[in-house]
Amino acid sequence: MTVIVVMGVSGSGKTTIGTALADALDVEYAEADTFHPQANIDKMTAGHPLTDEDRAPWLEAIAGWIREHQATGGVVTSSALKRRYRDVLRSGGNVWFAHLHGDREILAERMRSRSGHFMPVSLLDSQLADLEPLDPDEPGAIFDIRETPGEITDAALTAFREHA
């Protein structure tokens, strides 16, 4: 089966869409933040962007979760900012990316309005600078975060089922 990776920068709605997709497909959901070592969370909380080296064990852990869910399918979130990060995720098995994309102002406003999250708005620009859009050979689709969560979820389900 295929695991859906809901990707995008912080504030794009990965958790909202990821949980909605998992519910609609009746599969397990995993939040990418739970795979971070505490050192990564501390670094981001302090306003420092993660390096590729910081992200490596996190990406490997998510790829392991993907590997464990190849028989049942699942939905997991991950910023998956760079092609090489997505390559690591794909090493876990068959994946399809739902890329949540939007402009900086919307993303920053969403980040400012949420509570209880370690990622400060000051790191948004570093994420946007690192973001590499899906290449044509990467399975997935891009969704505009200006749409409602229901519209995005419906569109993602349609695109995913057409891919399957």
Side-chain angles (χ1 to χ4, degrees):
M1 294 205 52
T2 301
V3 171
I4 297 175
V5 177
V6 181
M7 63 171 280
V9 299
S10 191
S12 61
K14 294 184 297 290
T15 300
T16 300
I17 301 304
T19 55
L21 288 171
D23 287 347
L25 295 168
D26 195 27
V27 295
E28 189 175 343
Y29 169 77
E31 172 62 47
D33 290 341
T34 64
F35 294 93
H36 273 300
Q38 188 60 45
N40 284 6
I41 293 171
D42 294 345
K43 188 172 185 177
M44 289 183 284
T45 300
H48 303 290
L50 297 178
T51 64
D52 287 353
E53 294 76 28
D54 294 328
R55 286 188 177 98
W58 173 68
L59 292 166
E60 288 295 340
I62 297 171
W65 189 91
I66 291 168
R67 195 170 296 108
E68 292 168 3
H69 289 80
Q70 285 298 287
T72 59
V75 177
V76 63
T77 59
S78 173
S79 54
L81 299 174
K82 297 179 181 181
R83 167 80 188 227
R84 68 178 168 263
Y85 300 168
R86 296 188 296 270
D87 290 344
V88 172
L89 299 178
R90 275 194 299 275
S91 76
N94 194 21
V95 300
W96 185 85
F97 295 98
H99 178 185
L100 306 180
H101 180 71
D103 66 49
R104 187 196 184 287
E105 293 74 30
I106 294 171
L107 295 162
E109 178 54 37
R110 286 181 175 188
M111 290 176 75
R112 280 190 290 273
S113 67
R114 67 185 179 185
S115 62
H117 196 278
F118 58 83
M119 181 69 119
V121 177
S122 62
L123 292 181
L124 179 58
D125 289 331
S126 69
Q127 284 200 326
L128 289 169
D130 281 351
L131 180 62
E132 297 172 359
L134 290 172
D135 286 323
D137 66 326
E138 293 182 281
I142 299 172
F143 304 94
D144 189 334
I145 65 169
R146 292 176 296 184
E147 301 293 328
T148 67
E151 291 168 332
I152 294 170
T153 301
D154 289 346
L157 286 169
T158 298
F160 174 68
R161 288 175 175 141
E162 288 173 358
H163 165 77

